[in-house]
Each structure stands twice: as C-alpha cells, then as structure tokens.
Amino acid sequence: MMTASIDFTPELADLVMFMSRVAISIRMHTPYRYRSGWESAKEHCKHVLWLSDSIHYFGEIARCIKANDIESAIRAVNSTIINYKEYSIAGDGWVSDPMLTFKAKPAEPVFGEFYDGWILDEGLALLERIKEKAEQ
C-alpha cells in the first residue's frame, strides 16, 4: 500500500459539488417535479435508479482517500470509470437502459440545466483528475 500523502481537497470539493448536482437531477425525477407529464412515474423511477447509481460509487473512493490508501483509491476510481463507460453501452440487459437517462436527447430540453446527459462526461472528467493526481 502506498502511503504518500496527497492533497485531494480540490477534487473532493468538486466531487461534493458534482454529487449535489446529481442529487438535484434525482429530485427532478420525483413527485417534487412530477408536474412535467413528459413521462410516466415508472420512467422517472428508472432515471432515479441510474442517477443514484452514478454517485454511490464515490463512497468507496472517499473511504480509500481518507485512509490514505492510494492504490485502493486508484482501483476504486478505475472501477467507477468502467461503470460510467458501461452506462453508455449497457442497453436493455439491465433493469432498464441507462442510455435513456444519460444519452437520450429530447427534442427540447426537458429540465433545462437539469438534463441528465451531462453527468457521464462531467463525472468521467472528475474521476480522471482524481486518478491522475493519485498516480503522480
């Protein structure tokens, strides 16, 4: 196990801000925002599934960083990157197709800035920054 002390403060702050934005997207698929009528409650539930799935991995990354276990942090980041990439190719073999959440583009933005397509690219960029810093 590597024991180098690395300051991940900026990346962890960005991670918290990212998670907050994902939480807003999750909320926009709940009865709080259900007035939209653009899809059924069942479809909203599928989006909530994928949105929450996209952030639950961060707990392991944070745990490894807190323990200063850089090698495990790199493995956790790599695993999360793989999962993020699978969201864009998973298709209908899962409970539902994550591409309907992360890749489908409506004719008009449904939630404006809360449209969920940004999550994969922004999340992958953040994960790559954490990995790059950990591997220095």
Side-chain angles (χ1 to χ4, degrees):
M1 168 174 60
M2 286 187 192
T3 57
S5 181
I6 300 172
D7 181 8
F8 287 103
T9 303
E11 291 78 15
L12 292 176
D14 288 345
L15 188 66
V16 170
M17 290 187 301
F18 175 80
M19 290 170 43
S20 174
R21 291 182 62 209
V22 173
I24 291 168
S25 288
I26 291 170
R27 184 176 68 201
M28 300 312 280
H29 286 286
T30 67
Y32 170 83
R33 177 65 164 85
Y34 195 67
R35 301 181 302 255
S36 67
W38 64 279
E39 22 177 40
S40 69
K42 184 177 179 180
E43 291 304 309
H44 280 286
C45 289
K46 292 175 185 177
H47 294 307
V48 168
L49 164 75
W50 294 118
L51 291 164
S52 61
D53 198 61
S54 75
I55 59 175
H56 91 273
Y57 302 106
F58 296 143
E60 180 64 12
I61 295 168
R63 186 193 65 73
C64 294
I65 290 172
K66 183 176 180 180
N68 202 32
D69 186 348
I70 304 305
E71 289 178 1
S72 292
I74 292 169
R75 280 193 299 276
V77 167
N78 283 334
S79 176
T80 305
I81 288 170
I82 289 167
N83 288 319
Y84 267 51
K85 289 180 178 178
E86 285 180 354
Y87 290 145
S88 65
I89 60 171
D92 59 4
W94 296 14
V95 172
S96 67
D97 187 346
M99 288 184 63
L100 296 176
T101 299
F102 296 118
K103 293 293 183 184
K105 296 193 184 228
E108 297 178 23
V110 178
F111 294 139
E113 68 181 88
F114 300 115
Y115 171 61
D116 305 322
W118 59 270
I119 292 172
L120 290 183
D121 291 338
E122 189 172 316
L124 281 167
L126 177 56
L127 291 164
E128 291 293 345
R129 283 191 8 244
I130 293 170
K131 180 180 170 182
E132 183 178 303
K133 186 175 257 189
E135 290 177 334
Q136 293 179 354

